[in-house]
């Protein structure tokens, strides 16, 4: 089969190759998926570039954790009736050398999620890493029915998922934006209320909606927003953070402590499997209902993988980049 791969870290156009590799066979508890669409995430770029201290743990890596396609083979212990099933896959290249930038990929059966016919393959192909992270940012401390959830970075990949699942979970959903022209898009993505940070009274805006403070914050920038989060959270509230602008920045310890605020640090590769299962169910339902939609920032072929990863790095989390096979 054809696949894209690299044998060392570095710039995309210097390290990527596209060629023939052996067709993988599913082992016990696994399925093989014929990939239709491979999703490119900034995390895939980071692994290839060596960001965040990542190293080459395998001599050759076929990248990309996310994708969508059709099950075409099953391993022992997996019902063969799954063959022909449309699925989206996640964590394909987590602790494994073979991701979705190939004509076929093998994943644990639970990581190939059945996709209803009304769900779009392109959307399903990009939901994995950001979607599951957004879901965890909302639900890591339990249900949100009747609660209040604040989402920062709501137009990013994680933020869009957090908006959708928090609203579907019964929360009142608030989101912060920096520019007036973002308000309508954030409302359309699922927020009940949008708070503008450029007006100078963002805390007052939030307190007018949630006088006692919000229950949870799905936080894109812990270093930049921790002090603000303390002001708008109620006592015993939760900050669930998946990124930071400065990994070495100090936190306002006593302000957090006096309000008994919990700070949860999230990394997608290592969520509990029951949390992944919960997220997969909820995200599939949100995709099928049209409540979760990602802008597609670029479409590429497998031979254009270097261009695709460069586009993903430029775009960041604002739009998804895909490779069609």
């Amino acid at each position: 089969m054809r696949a894209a791969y690299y044998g060392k870290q570095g710039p995309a156009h210097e390290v990527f190759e596209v060629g023939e590799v052996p067709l993988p066979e599913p082992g016990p508890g696994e399925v093989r998926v014929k990939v239709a669409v491979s999703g490119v995430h900034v995390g895939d770029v980071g692994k290839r570039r060596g960001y965040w201290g990542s190293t080459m743990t395998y001599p050759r890596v076929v990248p990309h954790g996310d994708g969508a396609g059709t099950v075409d083979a099953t391993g022992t212990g997996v019902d063969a009736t799954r063959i022909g099933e449309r699925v989206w896959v996640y964590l394909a290249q987590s602790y494994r050398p073979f991701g979705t930038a190939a004509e076929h990929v093998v994943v644990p059966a639970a990581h190939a999620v059945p996709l209803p016919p009304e769900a779009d393959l392109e959307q399903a192909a990009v939901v994995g890493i950001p979607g599951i992270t957004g879901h965890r940012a909302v639900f890591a401390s339990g249900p949100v029915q009747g609660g209040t959830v604040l989402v920062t970075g709501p137009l990013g990949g994680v933020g869009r998922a957090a908006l959708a699942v928090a609203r579907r979970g019964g929360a009142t959903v608030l989101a912060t934006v920096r520019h007036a022209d973002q308000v309508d898009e954030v409302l359309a993505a699922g927020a009940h209320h949008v708070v503008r940070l450029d007006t100078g009274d963002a805390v007052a805006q939030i307190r007018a909606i949630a006088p006692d403070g919000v229950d949870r914050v799905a936080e894109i920038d812990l270093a930049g927003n921790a002090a603000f989060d303390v002001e708008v959270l109620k006592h015993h509230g939760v900050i669930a953070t998946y990124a930071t602008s400065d990994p070495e920045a100090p936190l306002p310890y006593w302000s957090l402590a006096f309000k008994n605020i919990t700070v949860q640090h999230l990394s997608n590769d290592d969520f509990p499997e029951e949390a992944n299962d919960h997220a997969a169910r909820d995200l599939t339902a949100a995709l099928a209902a049209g409540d979760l939609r990602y802008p597609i920032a670029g479409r590429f072929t497998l031979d254009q993988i270097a261009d695709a990863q460069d586009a993903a790095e430029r775009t960041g989390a604002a739009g998804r980049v895909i490779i069609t096979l």
Side-chain angles (χ1 to χ4, degrees):
M1 69 168 187
R2 295 184 77 242
Y5 50 85
Y6 55 90
K8 62 180 180 180
Q9 292 174 311
H13 284 272
E14 294 180 15
V15 301
F16 268 121
E17 298 179 60
V18 178
E20 292 289 328
V21 301
L23 179 69
E25 295 296 334
E30 295 180 329
V31 299
R32 187 176 68 202
V33 175
K34 181 175 175 54
V35 180
V37 186
S38 176
V40 189
H41 187 266
V42 290
D44 301 314
V45 175
K47 289 179 180 181
R48 189 253 308 157
R49 295 282 287 181
Y51 296 158
W52 317 301
S54 62
T55 59
M56 285 285 295
T57 53
Y58 302 97
R60 183 171 70 180
V61 171
V62 176
H64 303 173
D66 300 339
T70 306
V71 175
D72 74 344
T74 58
T76 57
V78 180
D79 194 332
T81 61
R82 292 204 65 182
I83 294 174
E85 190 174 66
R86 294 170 78 243
V87 296
W88 62 275
V89 303
Y90 64 91
L91 296 182
Q93 204 260 300
S94 177
Y95 300 111
R96 301 160 72 91
F98 303 111
T100 66
E103 292 177 328
H104 293 82
V105 68
V106 167
V107 296
H111 291 189
V113 186
L115 195 62
E118 61 269 29
D120 178 74
L121 274 179
E122 288 189 350
Q123 290 293 313
V126 299
V127 74
I129 292 172
I132 292 174
T133 303
H135 189 277
R136 186 70 174 157
V138 172
F139 292 107
S141 297
V144 296
Q145 176 72 44
T148 48
V149 176
L150 172 64
V151 178
T152 66
L155 295 180
V158 176
R160 285 180 182 271
L163 291 177
V165 298
R167 183 165 185 143
R168 289 175 61 87
T172 296
V173 185
L174 298 77
T176 53
V177 299
R178 298 190 178 278
H179 306 286
D181 60 5
Q182 296 173 314
V183 172
D184 288 345
E185 189 175 0
V186 173
L187 289 170
H192 293 98
H193 306 278
V194 179
V195 174
R196 288 177 52 187
L197 298 174
D198 59 343
T199 61
D201 63 347
V203 173
Q205 292 179 61
I206 292 174
R207 287 291 184 171
I209 300 163
D212 296 327
V214 300
D215 294 290
R216 304 181 191 191
V217 179
E219 182 55 75
I220 192 174
D221 181 8
L222 181 64
N225 295 331
F228 176 82
D229 293 345
V230 170
E231 287 194 76
V232 301
L233 275 163
K234 63 176 56 173
H235 280 71
H236 309 287
V238 175
I239 302 171
T241 179
Y242 55 92
T244 183
S245 57
D246 181 359
E248 304 300 328
L251 294 177
Y253 175 83
W254 289 114
S255 297
L256 292 162
F258 290 152
K259 294 184 75 171
N260 281 266
I261 290 171
T262 298
V263 180
Q264 296 174 327
H265 295 83
L266 307 178
S267 176
N268 178 266
D269 283 337
D270 296 292
F271 295 157
E273 278 303 303
E274 59 269 25
N276 289 333
D277 292 342
H278 181 196
R281 291 193 302 271
D282 287 355
L283 292 165
T284 300
L287 287 171
D291 292 333
L292 175 58
R293 299 287 299 176
Y294 287 109
I296 303 299
R299 294 175 173 85
F300 297 84
T301 66
L302 189 62
D303 289 311
Q304 296 172 313
I305 187 168
D307 292 330
Q309 285 219 353
D310 283 349
E313 188 167 20
R314 289 193 305 271
T315 305
R320 316 314 301 157
V321 173
I322 59 173
I323 290 173
T324 56
L325 290 100

